[in-house]
Amino acid sequence: MGEVVMKVVVVGVILLIIASIIVPRVRGRRVMARRVKTMTELAASQGWSFTPENNELVPLVQRLPRALGTAQDIITSQLVRAEPTRLQVGSRIMHVLEGASEGHQVQIFDWVAGHASGAGRASLVFLHTVWAIPLPQVPFWAQAASKGQPHDGWRPGQVFRTGDNAFDKRFLTTADDAGHVQAGLAPQTRRLLLESDFDGWRLDPEFGMLLLWTHSRRRYVPAERILPMTRQAKQLAAEAIALTQGQQG
């Protein structure tokens, strides 16, 4: 009887492991299919273009939180008693919306970012939705990103405080010069960011863009929030244009 019970337990454990692998994958495919459908419908309603995947846009986010390379899948290897496999860690740009919104060209896309968890362990996956808005000029680098996301591997820069306690409590601000922080993150911009749904803001002179993004391990921005957040993004872009006019790098 004891051997029978042991076999049943072993079989049950194996089935649970298989289910834990298969069920999330099936659910993930369904979620992705729904995402494609809702984003396609949104693009059509706004006269925007929709592209399922465009990894040529990876350079836009290459200095946001991510890690490239490989990581060991130690957790799974312990379960199946095999040598750890190597997982690819990197970025995928998916569900790209592109078009004009009240005079502003905008790209909106979902970004899947693999991030090594450290010591060669299995990678973590972060889900972001990103807004990229070209600006007439971007004379300097400045970035504010919520403290709840990884900050390693970002573009080198100094960390500054803005003097706004509420803002500094939520965001880590980096730039090359304190003057760039004051020029880019004026009180109105800080207020708009704090009131927005964004987890990050960046002026990027290399691409001449304002980048805004969300950070999550659970989901992208819901499709019904895309248009309200696009309005927030346009406000922040207008502020960036006003603040950087006449600024020197």
Side-chain angles (χ1 to χ4, degrees):
M1 180 66 69
E3 291 183 2
V4 173
V5 172
M6 181 60 68
K7 289 181 179 179
V8 170
V9 171
V10 170
V11 171
V13 170
I14 292 173
L15 290 175
L16 284 174
I17 292 173
I18 293 173
S20 69
I21 295 172
I22 293 176
V23 171
R25 289 185 178 181
V26 172
R27 185 184 297 120
R29 291 192 184 99
R30 290 175 179 171
V31 169
M32 293 297 282
R34 287 197 296 269
R35 183 67 168 176
V36 169
K37 182 176 184 294
T38 57
M39 295 290 269
T40 301
E41 292 172 347
L42 176 60
S45 73
Q46 300 299 308
W48 295 344
S49 65
F50 172 79
T51 306
E53 185 165 1
N54 183 0
N55 288 320
E56 292 182 0
L57 297 177
V58 167
L60 285 180
V61 296
Q62 65 185 347
R63 294 190 180 97
L64 296 181
R66 66 97 176 102
L68 295 178
T70 57
Q72 290 183 316
D73 189 357
I74 292 176
I75 296 174
T76 303
S77 69
Q78 293 297 314
L79 292 174
V80 300
R81 299 187 181 281
E83 288 297 315
T85 57
R86 305 295 292 184
L87 301 176
Q88 291 297 319
V89 182
S91 295
R92 292 179 67 190
I93 304 299
M94 308 179 72
H95 316 134
V96 183
L97 305 175
E98 187 168 6
S101 178
E102 298 180 6
H104 290 280
Q105 286 296 126
V106 62
Q107 289 177 318
I108 306 165
F109 52 85
D110 293 333
W111 170 34
V112 185
H115 186 89
S117 61
R121 297 175 188 166
S123 63
L124 305 174
V125 174
F126 298 107
L127 306 178
H128 310 260
T129 304
V130 180
W131 278 252
I133 304 177
L135 300 182
Q137 63 175 9
V138 183
F140 53 81
W141 164 281
Q143 178 170 276
S146 65
K147 295 180 178 180
Q149 55 191 295
H151 285 257
D152 59 308
W154 288 25
R155 178 189 182 277
Q158 300 178 62
V159 175
F160 293 96
R161 292 183 61 83
T162 65
D164 181 332
N165 290 334
F167 190 85
D168 292 335
K169 183 177 180 179
R170 178 177 168 188
F171 292 99
L172 183 72
T173 301
T174 54
D176 296 321
D177 184 88
H180 297 165
V181 175
Q182 297 304 317
L185 286 166
Q188 174 71 353
T189 298
R190 297 197 303 270
R191 182 184 67 79
L192 289 172
L193 263 177
L194 284 171
E195 293 175 353
S196 78
D197 298 316
F198 296 113
D199 296 307
W201 170 99
R202 181 172 108 190
L203 291 176
D204 194 321
E206 180 179 353
F207 297 104
M209 285 188 171
L210 170 66
L211 294 177
L212 300 156
W213 67 92
T214 62
H215 169 79
S216 174
R217 289 191 62 188
R218 298 178 58 189
R219 66 175 186 170
Y220 302 118
V221 169
E224 62 269 20
R225 291 296 303 155
I226 294 290
L227 293 181
M229 290 182 68
T230 299
R231 288 191 287 272
Q232 294 174 353
K234 288 185 296 185
Q235 287 183 297
L236 285 159
E239 285 298 311
I241 291 170
L243 291 169
T244 57
Q245 291 289 345
Q247 291 288 333
Q248 299 298 316

